[in-house]
């Protein structure tokens, strides 16, 4: 699937539009993603974007959760299934 990106900024909220979804995320959270990614260089960075669905194709990011890249690679990533399960359970209980 080809992704088409465009960036719209509305009063400190950014909307990333792809061909099938809209991701609403604050500029502060984007800055956090950039910082976390830079900290992991030259390796891939793993993060989960947690939030809720606003509409059929629009998602609102409320939290960025850094995950460990178990692959420790600049070409691939792997998340620990137990860590992933913990985050999913936490998100489900705190939604």
């Amino acid at each position: 699937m080809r992704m088409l990106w465009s960036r719209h900024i509305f009063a400190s909220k950014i909307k990333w539009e792809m061909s099938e979804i809209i991701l609403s995320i604050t500029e502060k959270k984007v800055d956090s993603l950039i910082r976390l990614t830079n900290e992991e260089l030259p390796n891939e960075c793993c993060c989960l974007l947690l939030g809720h669905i606003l509409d059929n194709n629009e998602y609102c990011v409320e939290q960025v959760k850094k995950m460990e890249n178990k692959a420790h690679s600049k070409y691939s990533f792997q998340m620990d299934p137990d860590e992933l399960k913990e985050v999913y359970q936490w998100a489900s209980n705190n939604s």
Side-chain angles (χ1 to χ4, degrees):
M1 176 174 71
R2 184 173 164 235
M3 299 291 201
L4 302 175
W5 295 90
S6 64
R7 183 175 176 181
H8 306 283
I9 301 176
F10 301 101
S12 82
K13 184 170 245 183
I14 301 171
K15 288 190 176 190
W16 289 97
E17 292 186 26
M18 293 182 271
S19 57
E20 296 182 20
I21 69 167
I22 298 171
L23 184 63
S24 295
I25 184 169
T26 64
E27 193 166 357
K28 183 177 179 179
K29 287 180 181 66
V30 170
D31 291 342
S32 176
L33 278 170
I34 292 168
R35 181 182 49 77
L36 291 168
T37 301
N38 286 334
E39 288 174 2
E40 292 298 314
L41 288 175
N43 292 336
E44 288 282 333
C45 179
C46 296
C47 291
L48 295 178
L49 304 179
L50 306 174
H52 64 275
I53 300 171
L54 296 174
D55 199 345
N56 287 338
N57 67 339
E58 186 169 354
Y59 301 84
C60 178
V61 176
E62 294 175 352
Q63 186 172 355
V64 175
K65 170 67 174 141
K66 185 178 184 313
M67 304 289 285
E68 181 184 356
N69 180 357
K70 300 297 266 182
H72 303 287
S73 168
K74 56 183 170 181
Y75 303 110
S76 65
F77 68 90
Q78 180 181 5
M79 289 186 256
D80 181 307
D82 292 331
E83 184 183 16
L84 197 55
K85 182 179 176 183
E86 282 181 28
V87 173
Y88 285 157
Q89 287 175 338
W90 180 89
S92 179
N93 292 334
N94 293 284
S95 57

